[in-house]
Amino acid sequence: MPLRFVLVFALVCLLHGCAKDTSKTLLFIGSFTEGKAAKGIQVHEFDVRTGALRLLHEVPNVINPSFLKVSPNGRFLFSVLESQMDSNGKVAAYGIDAKTGILEPINFQDTGGRNPAHLSIHPSGGHLVVSNYTDAGIAVFPINEAGSLLPKQQMLTFKDSSIVRGRQDAAHVHSTHFSPDGGSLFAQDLGADKIRVFKVVLDNKLELESRAAIAVKPGSGPRHFTFHPNGKFGYGISELSGKVRVYQYTDDNLIFLEDHSSYATNQEIYRAADIHISPDGKFLYTSNRGPKEDSIGIFSIDQNSGKLTLVGHEPTHGKHPRNFCLDPSGQFLLVANQFSNNVVVFKRDGQTGKLSKLPEDLEIKAPSTLQMLRYVADR
């Protein structure tokens, strides 16, 4: 009987013992395809001993799959399609064969607006939220047990603005993030300088109920967000001000604590992009996309207060690091440099948080999103 791969949890080894490592780590890469149908999604096997990548599968005939998200159970991959186009975007569902890396198309749905930029999945795995950037809105899609996306059951749209001309003339929802318990949803509105807050009501279906928005300093442009593994703190990256914002998370509310520059140097224009925390919760990383500095910002996290201390900055050895990820073991950090067409792998020092570039880069056209997951063979 062929091996069946399931999402690995550390408790498996702790409770049952692991005679040998039967795990496999997969890297999913989505790219911009210049608005044309192309092989825009790749699946690679990642060697957690050496950091090497081996191509397993490519998905043909997709247009601008610029953001990917893997389901909590590891069985399905979801991708935005036709982002940054003149027409409504789409979201697609794929089944993951973790043994071969092959992605099998399941179905797709219209997102109800132009330029879908981000996907989030409720911790239960039963609902997916799409952030439409150009036509600012949030669309909620149920996911059935087979991974199929059902028609959207809720669509919220927003009209608002802020002070940066050309970038904040209208609302632009760049991402959404569920609270650790799944009881709230926080939407980063780059155009309005707001974090839009929603209560999540689960009663046969998921319903978002609007709450008072959290104001962000005008001209900030909130883009992405992440929660600390302990669930007590939240961290946002502001694209237009190049700042990292630190919050205490209490009673479904975010209380601002401090901010830091994500960049090492002052810029005339800031393009801060992505933000992630190491699996052990000790270090926070950010990406900065020029115009004169392409770097990863490295910060240590005070485990009691949640506040940050700058460790340093590491060049990304490429241009426009739109997205990055840490591998599930926390030993490596991978960066997608969109404009230089390369994915760079760094070895990560677990004690200091610092990064060391590995010699080999992956050449790939306009990479824009990275997702990684570790699987183990279940006999």
Side-chain angles (χ1 to χ4, degrees):
M1 184 174 181
L3 293 178
R4 180 173 61 86
F5 282 79
V6 297
L7 185 63
V8 76
F9 292 94
L11 282 177
V12 173
C13 287
L14 292 175
L15 296 176
H16 303 292
C18 294
K20 89 181 200 180
D21 187 3
T22 57
S23 67
K24 173 182 286 188
T25 298
L26 297 183
L27 170 68
F28 305 89
I29 306 174
S31 304
F32 282 101
T33 65
E34 300 180 340
K36 302 174 183 178
K39 296 178 179 178
I41 301 176
Q42 291 188 356
V43 184
H44 293 255
E45 183 174 1
F46 181 75
D47 190 324
V48 296
R49 298 166 300 171
T50 67
L53 292 164
R54 181 171 68 92
L55 179 63
L56 300 178
H57 180 64
E58 293 180 286
V59 177
N61 300 319
V62 288
I63 299 174
N64 291 355
S66 61
F67 194 88
L68 307 177
K69 192 72 175 178
V70 180
S71 64
N73 62 13
R75 294 175 55 200
F76 311 111
L77 178 76
F78 300 95
S79 174
V80 304
L81 296 178
E82 301 178 28
S83 64
Q84 297 190 4
M85 303 288 284
D86 292 333
S87 57
N88 280 6
K90 297 180 177 62
V91 58
Y94 297 90
I96 300 172
D97 184 328
K99 181 181 178 182
T100 64
I102 292 175
L103 301 178
E104 291 290 347
I106 299 174
N107 75 329
F108 67 85
Q109 296 284 355
D110 188 297
T111 67
R114 291 172 294 164
N115 198 8
H118 187 272
L119 304 172
S120 59
I121 301 175
H122 190 265
S124 68
H127 293 82
L128 178 139
V129 175
V130 178
S131 300
N132 289 321
Y133 181 86
T134 301
D135 296 323
I138 296 172
V140 181
F141 296 88
I143 306 169
N144 71 16
E145 292 185 359
S148 180
L149 290 165
L150 303 181
K152 56 181 172 290
Q153 63 183 28
Q154 189 176 15
M155 184 79 201
L156 302 173
T157 58
F158 311 101
K159 295 185 181 299
D160 217 331
S161 62
S162 193
I163 65 172
V164 179
R165 287 190 174 185
R167 295 301 311 276
Q168 296 186 312
D169 299 336
H172 295 302
V173 179
H174 211 303
S175 65
T176 65
H177 303 268
F178 285 100
S179 60
D181 65 359
S184 297
L185 182 76
F186 297 89
Q188 308 292 305
D189 190 332
L190 183 147
D193 281 323
K194 292 179 179 179
I195 303 176
R196 299 186 184 275
V197 184
F198 305 89
K199 180 181 178 182
V200 176
V201 179
L202 281 173
D203 184 14
N204 294 323
K205 66 178 184 177
L206 187 150
E207 191 83 15
L208 299 176
E209 294 183 355
S210 185
R211 296 291 187 260
I214 298 169
V216 179
K217 184 178 179 180
S220 293
R223 179 183 172 96
H224 280 193
F225 196 88
T226 187
F227 283 97
H228 193 279
N230 66 16
K232 298 179 181 178
F233 310 108
Y235 302 86
I237 188 79
S238 294
E239 177 175 342
L240 304 182
S241 66
K243 296 283 189 179
V244 183
R245 311 182 315 274
V246 182
Y247 297 90
Q248 181 179 343
Y249 176 61
T250 305
D251 298 327
D252 293 323
N253 190 29
L254 296 172
I255 302 170
F256 178 79
L257 299 178
E258 63 176 3
D259 62 15
H260 296 261
S261 177
S262 177
Y263 281 73
T265 56
N266 292 330
Q267 310 281 305
E268 294 180 5
I269 299 172
Y270 291 95
R271 298 191 186 111
D274 205 7
I275 185 166
H276 296 287
I277 295 174
S278 59
D280 61 11
K282 294 182 179 180
F283 295 94
L284 179 141
Y285 298 86
T286 64
S287 69
N288 305 303
R289 303 174 295 172
K292 297 180 180 179
E293 177 185 331
D294 292 286
S295 69
I296 298 294
I298 308 168
F299 301 84
S300 63
I301 303 174
D302 185 295
Q303 300 300 294
N304 294 316
S305 69
K307 293 185 177 182
L308 303 178
T309 299
L310 178 65
V311 173
H313 292 81
E314 180 68 27
T316 65
H317 300 271
K319 295 181 179 180
H320 208 77
R322 184 182 182 90
N323 190 247
F324 69 94
C325 70
L326 289 99
D327 86 293
S329 73
Q331 299 180 80
F332 298 91
L333 185 146
L334 289 77
V335 180
N337 289 309
Q338 181 184 344
F339 290 174
S340 54
N341 305 314
N342 65 328
V343 172
V344 177
V345 182
F346 294 91
K347 180 72 174 176
R348 196 180 76 88
D349 187 315
Q351 298 300 312
T352 67
K354 293 183 178 180
L355 305 174
S356 301
K357 182 184 180 301
L358 298 189
E360 298 295 326
D361 296 354
L362 174 68
E363 294 184 7
I364 178 173
K365 182 70 172 176
S368 63
T369 177
L370 306 175
Q371 287 276 292
M372 296 187 83
L373 209 62
R374 187 182 177 209
Y375 296 83
V376 67
D378 178 16
R379 299 179 185 275

